Amino acid sequence: MRIAELSQRSGVTVPTIKYYLREGLLPPGQPTGRNQAAYGEQHLQRLLLIRALRDVGGLSVAAAREVLQVLDEPGHTGHTLMGRAHRAVLRRERPDATGPDWAQARADAAEQVRQLGWYVDPDTPTLDRLADVILAMRRVGCADLLDRIPDYARAALPVAEQEVAGAAAAEDPATMMAAVVTGTVLGEALLSAVRLLAHEHASAQLDGADLGQIDVTQRSNHADSP
Amino acid sequence: MRIAELSQRSGVTVPTIKYYLREGLLPPGQPTGRNQAAYGEQHLQRLLLIRALRDVGGLSVAAAREVLQVLDEPGHTGHTLMGRAHRAVLRRERPDATGPDWAQARADAAEQVRQLGWYVDPDTPTLDRLADVILAMRRVGCADLLDRIPDYARAALPVAEQEVAGAAAAEDPATMMAAVVTGTVLGEALLSAVRLLAHEHASAQLDGADLGQIDVTQRSNHADSP
């Protein structure tokens, strides 16, 4: 298909597609003439994956490129694929991490994981991320949350196990790619959205709202879009 | 204290503090002369809160300002406070949401919540967010994940209930502020980090790594920072 059709079917504008081509997120099409190329279904699939990473996962162009490069390399096991995808995802948002307070938070993060009995690489950037969160919680006066990390772990583990099993069960590279993206970026977005809905539910019950009257499927404005 | 001491104690540079003052994230200090002002402990606390929202929560300056403005308004119940904080948090990353596919995903999101029996405002932006995720999953070929939303809900609910209860139990506005920030932004970051660690654990077990040898508290490079 021509770039115009690719744009129409993916919902991504032609200038944005050209930008992804220049940046190497999207492989080039088959040249059909000076300044023209033909694109296939795999380009369409890749574009939808890029949009999911960028729009829903909130990844930068650089982080999305890193995820896609990992997925394109042959010979990864599910474990290394997911580890590399994690590193790409975690690149997106990290504060400066220095000083004795951060070092203490990093040690506490590792100790928490040790107490959980989880098998995790001591040098994984995910522990740095957990240390960032612990330090921020201490600084805003929520240090007691450290005690609740096991509750968060209990909540996260069954979901993570399902996501990993889904990626491991994939029979071909395209399915594996989709499953790894689900298991990292989209799974996080899903858990985040569901958690906020659970907040609203828990909060409504606590405030004693008029709970009998709500039908969540009936919008007041009947709009198709926000 | 002078702005230099505020910078030193918070770890935020003087130009960034001046930027937050101009942008209204930080209230002005007490003028002590032409171009000089004195700042108190509440400025330090506010700065640490801003850094947590920005660095760990990944919020834009505009979204952080919105959260802080909500927290500064008097007379909110815990429920309205959390709802407004959600709206500010959710502003950060939304794709375009139009067309029949998105409308279908939005209806499916509401139906999922109805089946959970959760009391949620039919017009809440959180349902828009869930619809974004559902649509992205369909587009990258993970539509079967819809069936697993109840698993995510089961995982998220106990954590959310604790977070909401923590905010509701706050005895003064400063504690409530910290608890709401925990319950929305930092709680999400914590759950995200723990979920990625759970991935690594689940993935290591599946790949049959040499699990007996790992002590997560022993880093190979003994670095204080990544």
Side-chain angles (χ1 to χ4, degrees), chain B residues 102-124:
Chain B
W102 192 85
Q104 181 61 52
R106 181 61 171 72
D108 293 337
E111 176 58 23
Q112 287 282 339
V113 171
R114 192 190 65 73
Q115 287 181 23
L116 289 167
W118 286 1
Y119 293 102
V120 166
D121 179 350
D123 296 314
T124 180

Side-chain angles (χ1 to χ4, degrees), chain B residues 70-82:
Chain B
V70 173
L71 295 173
D72 287 342
E73 292 164 9
H76 279 299
T77 65
H79 187 50
T80 58
L81 205 56
M82 191 154 288

Side-chain angles (χ1 to χ4, degrees), chain B residues 49-117:
Chain B
L49 193 59
I50 295 169
R51 294 318 301 173
L53 293 172
R54 297 270 297 132
D55 291 340
V56 179
L59 263 61
S60 67
V61 166
R65 178 169 45 215
E66 201 172 316
V67 171
L68 295 168
Q69 280 172 348
V70 173
L71 295 173
D72 287 342
E73 292 164 9
H76 279 299
T77 65
H79 187 50
T80 58
L81 205 56
M82 191 154 288
R84 292 283 306 275
H86 279 185
R87 279 165 172 72
V89 169
L90 288 167
R91 282 203 346 173
R92 82 185 133 170
E93 39 179 51
R94 287 219 49 224
D96 284 341
T98 49
D101 289 352
W102 192 85
Q104 181 61 52
R106 181 61 171 72
D108 293 337
E111 176 58 23
Q112 287 282 339
V113 171
R114 192 190 65 73
Q115 287 181 23
L116 289 167

Side-chain angles (χ1 to χ4, degrees), chain A residues 144-194:
Chain A
D144 59 326
L145 212 106
L146 255 178
D147 302 332
R148 277 161 42 196
I149 289 180
D151 298 326
Y152 283 79
R154 248 192 308 280
L157 187 58
V159 166
E161 282 175 338
Q162 276 200 332
E163 288 162 348
V164 168
E171 285 172 2
D172 60 275
T175 314
M176 164 85 83
M177 178 190 289
V180 167
V181 170
T182 306
T184 49
V185 177
L186 295 184
E188 171 163 333
L190 179 58
L191 187 56
S192 160
V194 169

Side-chain angles (χ1 to χ4, degrees), chain B:
Chain B
M1 70 190 99
R2 296 266 189 89
I3 197 167
E5 187 186 345
L6 186 63
S7 165
Q8 188 255 315
R9 287 183 60 192
S10 65
V12 179
T13 65
V14 171
T16 301
I17 293 175
K18 288 184 173 169
Y19 172 65
Y20 292 156
L21 287 164
R22 277 198 308 276
E23 292 289 319
L25 275 73
L26 195 65
Q30 191 74 28
T32 55
R34 190 205 301 257
N35 287 328
Q36 284 207 342
Y39 300 90
E41 289 299 316
Q42 76 277 21
H43 289 93
L44 178 60
Q45 289 307 314
R46 174 59 63 108
L47 263 181
L48 296 175
L49 193 59
I50 295 169
R51 294 318 301 173
L53 293 172
R54 297 270 297 132
D55 291 340
V56 179
L59 263 61
S60 67
V61 166
R65 178 169 45 215
E66 201 172 316
V67 171
L68 295 168
Q69 280 172 348
V70 173
L71 295 173
D72 287 342
E73 292 164 9
H76 279 299
T77 65
H79 187 50
T80 58
L81 205 56
M82 191 154 288
R84 292 283 306 275
H86 279 185
R87 279 165 172 72
V89 169
L90 288 167
R91 282 203 346 173
R92 82 185 133 170
E93 39 179 51
R94 287 219 49 224
D96 284 341
T98 49
D101 289 352
W102 192 85
Q104 181 61 52
R106 181 61 171 72
D108 293 337
E111 176 58 23
Q112 287 282 339
V113 171
R114 192 190 65 73
Q115 287 181 23
L116 289 167
W118 286 1
Y119 293 102
V120 166
D121 179 350
D123 296 314
T124 180
T126 317
L127 281 171
D128 299 335
R129 176 78 183 147
L130 181 56
D132 294 341
V133 178
I134 290 172
L135 183 56
M137 294 197 156
R138 288 200 172 125
R139 285 187 171 156
V140 301
C142 303
D144 58 325
L145 211 105
L146 255 178
D147 302 332
R148 278 160 42 196
I149 290 182
D151 297 326
Y152 283 79
R154 248 192 307 279
L157 187 58
V159 166
E161 282 175 339
Q162 277 199 332
E163 288 163 348
V164 168
E171 285 170 3
D172 60 276
T175 315
M176 164 85 82
M177 179 190 288
V180 167
V181 170
T182 306
T184 50
V185 177
L186 295 184
E188 171 164 333
L190 179 58
L191 187 57
S192 159
V194 169
R195 174 180 158 279
L196 291 176
L197 289 164
H199 268 180
E200 297 189 19
H201 171 57
S203 179
Q205 292 197 300
L206 215 63
D207 268 21
D210 187 3
L211 300 179
Q213 304 301 312
I214 297 178
D215 178 354
V216 69
T217 62
Q218 298 300 314
R219 304 189 70 175
S220 57
N221 54 10
H222 300 284
D224 281 350
S225 60

